[in-house]
Amino acid sequence: MLKFLIVCALAAMSAAEIAEEEDVLVLKKSNFEEALKAHPNVLVEFYAPWCGHCKALAPEYSKAAGMLKAEGSDIRLAKVDATEESELAQEFGVRGYPTIKFFKGGEKGNPKEYSAGRQAEDIVSWLKKRTGPAATTLNDVMQAESIIADNEVAVIGFFKDVESEDSKAFIKTAEAVDDIPFGITSDDSVFAKFEVAKDSVVLFKKFDEGRNTFDGEVSKESLLNFIKANQLPLVIEFTEQTAPKIFGGDIKSHILMFVPKAAKDFQDKMDQFKKAAEGFKGKILFIFIDSDVDDNQRILEFFGLKKEECPVIRLITLEEEMTKYKPESSEITAENIISFCTSFVEGTLKPHLMSQDIPEDWDKNPVKVLVGKNFEEVAFNPANNVFVEFYAPWCGHCKQLAPIWDQLGEKFKDNANIVVAKMDSTANEIEAVKVHSFPTLKFFPAGDERKVIDYNGERTLDGFTKFLESGGKEGGAPVGDEEDEEADDLDLDDAEEDDSDVEEGHDEL
């Protein structure tokens, strides 16, 4: 008996050693397994103290932990300083910050990657979906009111027969949606409270019209389309918190209004923008970006804009290839925006390709300067082999490459058939090459075939020289099995210079 008490006391002491900060468990290698034994469902954030994204997530993460704790839930949130606990980070394949993994049932193996938004409600909803029924059974009005009050968006299925085919389709839909809570009810008082006369699906939200009622034949596909069209506000502001919802959603066509929120006519512009948005729900996402915010300047730059030019409108498609469009009129009115979006939907708009003016001394130096207006003439000159670096002025890897690229230009400056060039892809765009990361290196061999060859080899003078002297046949691929140096990604889902990767090399847009 004494031995048993000692074992219990030691176990209690071990559990007590797991410290908490603002309701979040602080885990280390020494207490990680103990935490999984004590708490069957744990969401763990692997973070770095210097990571800007981690700092932005922290208050929402703590809020979510407090919400679950207040409910008496057995789900806990925890964090690991991956810079201190490098063994744990390595064990769970942490390559970027924050990395968030869900450990279910006390199991250490095969944790699930967290895949929803970074606001407290998103985190709680995702966790509840992973640990409970896809749709909560609502037995009375209070439960129904609670799920609506506690969430920005909630979907409730009203079915007199919860075993009906429509009800089963509703449950399948709930299982497919991670970031929105679902409820289901057959209770007459709940039907009456929300003035629902027959079986129906209603999306409740704390913005715009407040609720949307599904009208159509119930199926998983039709319900998902209904939710997709109504779960976001008609107009949504781009922030670090909303970015996952904006870029993680199914709507890949986005119209952006760059406008300073401090401007006197801000509300008027917003009213016009919102009025235009009403006719394109589910087709085009309407987003406004505060052009005065420092973190948003990279996005302005991506569209070739300066904040002094705002307010302006642009449209972008984020399909396999990003394509940008510019309205003919700069006047922001609902009529002009509707006309612009209608032309886009009907497929009659031509993409907007940025270009700087051709510099007078573009060919003065060994490395030639290309812009959109002279690219075709130079790169596809059938008499020349042309090697082009597509760069961004802010790109760290481009800055490292610059002296080597200058040496390459100097080496081949007297070769009449080889041209070494560069193009600022933040200010110039061309049809032939879609740039997704910096630096991007492309070779345009001589001839009339308009070939484009990717260069993925060593970024050294010797590597480049071997590649050019072989006519683009040798040295263009990665050496052996070694990983190529990571490029600076050009991603629109991040508004600030990114520090989310453990490895150097991600200045994201």
Side-chain angles (χ1 to χ4, degrees), residues 1-57:
M1 183 64 178
L2 179 60
K3 184 178 179 181
F4 174 74
L5 290 173
I6 292 172
V7 169
C8 289
L10 289 173
M13 286 173 63
S14 178
E17 288 173 3
I18 303 176
E20 287 188 28
E21 292 179 2
E22 296 181 323
D23 298 320
V24 176
L25 300 172
V26 180
L27 302 188
K28 304 175 182 293
K29 180 176 175 60
S30 59
N31 65 10
F32 196 88
E33 292 191 14
E34 182 65 36
L36 295 187
K37 291 176 183 177
H39 307 287
N41 296 304
V42 185
L43 185 71
V44 181
E45 176 202 7
F46 294 86
Y47 73 97
W50 44 258
C51 164
H53 297 294
C54 303
K55 292 175 184 176
L57 173 63

Side-chain angles (χ1 to χ4, degrees), residues 11 14 17 38 93 105 130 136 286 294 331 362 368 440 501:
S14 178
E17 288 173 3
R130 290 292 174 274
T136 303
F286 279 62
D294 289 341
E331 188 179 1
W362 71 271
K368 311 309 175 187
T440 288
D501 259 11

Side-chain angles (χ1 to χ4, degrees), residues 307-437:
K307 65 179 181 179
E308 294 78 20
E309 300 174 68
C310 300
V312 293
I313 296 283
R314 292 292 185 269
L315 193 150
I316 186 168
T317 58
L318 300 176
E319 302 294 347
E320 194 168 318
E321 298 290 352
M322 289 188 292
T323 307
K324 291 177 273 189
Y325 301 87
K326 175 183 176 181
E328 290 185 7
S329 173
S330 60
E331 188 179 1
I332 297 177
T333 66
E335 183 180 1
N336 285 345
I337 297 169
I338 290 169
S339 175
F340 178 51
C341 291
T342 300
S343 297
F344 168 75
V345 171
E346 292 176 349
T348 59
L349 274 186
K350 289 185 177 181
H352 170 60
L353 299 175
M354 298 185 297
S355 177
Q356 296 172 306
D357 291 330
I358 301 174
E360 290 183 9
D361 60 348
W362 71 271
D363 61 347
K364 175 184 176 182
N365 296 317
V367 175
K368 311 309 175 187
V369 178
L370 302 186
V371 296
K373 292 178 180 178
N374 69 349
F375 186 88
E376 282 278 327
E377 179 185 353
V378 177
F380 290 108
N381 183 333
N384 293 332
N385 290 305
V386 184
F387 200 12
V388 182
E389 176 203 6
F390 299 88
Y391 74 95
W394 44 262
C395 161
H397 289 299
C398 302
K399 292 173 183 176
Q400 292 174 11
L401 178 61
I404 301 172
W405 203 250
D406 287 341
Q407 290 172 32
L408 184 68
E410 186 70 28
K411 186 178 182 71
F412 288 95
K413 69 178 181 179
D414 296 325
N415 189 313
N417 301 115
I418 291 178
V419 176
V420 178
K422 63 182 180 181
M423 189 174 87
D424 179 354
S425 286
T426 68
N428 301 277
E429 296 170 313
I430 54 172
E431 286 278 6
V433 177
K434 299 294 184 183
V435 177
H436 297 292
S437 62

Side-chain angles (χ1 to χ4, degrees), residues 441-481:
L441 305 176
K442 302 275 187 181
F443 180 63
F444 302 81
D448 296 316
E449 298 178 5
R450 294 176 64 88
K451 283 186 178 179
V452 182
I453 298 173
D454 292 328
Y455 181 86
N456 295 306
E458 294 179 351
R459 292 180 190 167
T460 63
L461 183 60
D462 287 344
F464 293 144
T465 299
K466 182 179 179 181
F467 179 73
L468 282 176
E469 289 180 344
S470 69
K473 293 182 173 64
E474 295 181 27
V479 178
D481 294 325

Side-chain angles (χ1 to χ4, degrees), residues 80-122:
V80 172
D81 182 345
T83 65
E84 292 287 337
E85 302 295 328
S86 56
E87 285 187 41
L88 272 181
Q90 186 174 358
E91 180 179 353
F92 294 110
V94 175
R95 289 178 56 83
Y97 302 131
T99 290
I100 308 173
K101 294 178 180 283
F102 180 53
F103 296 82
K104 186 175 181 179
E107 294 292 330
K108 193 178 180 182
N110 300 316
K112 186 172 182 63
E113 293 285 340
Y114 175 75
S115 59
R118 293 187 180 179
Q119 292 179 295
E121 291 78 7
D122 300 324

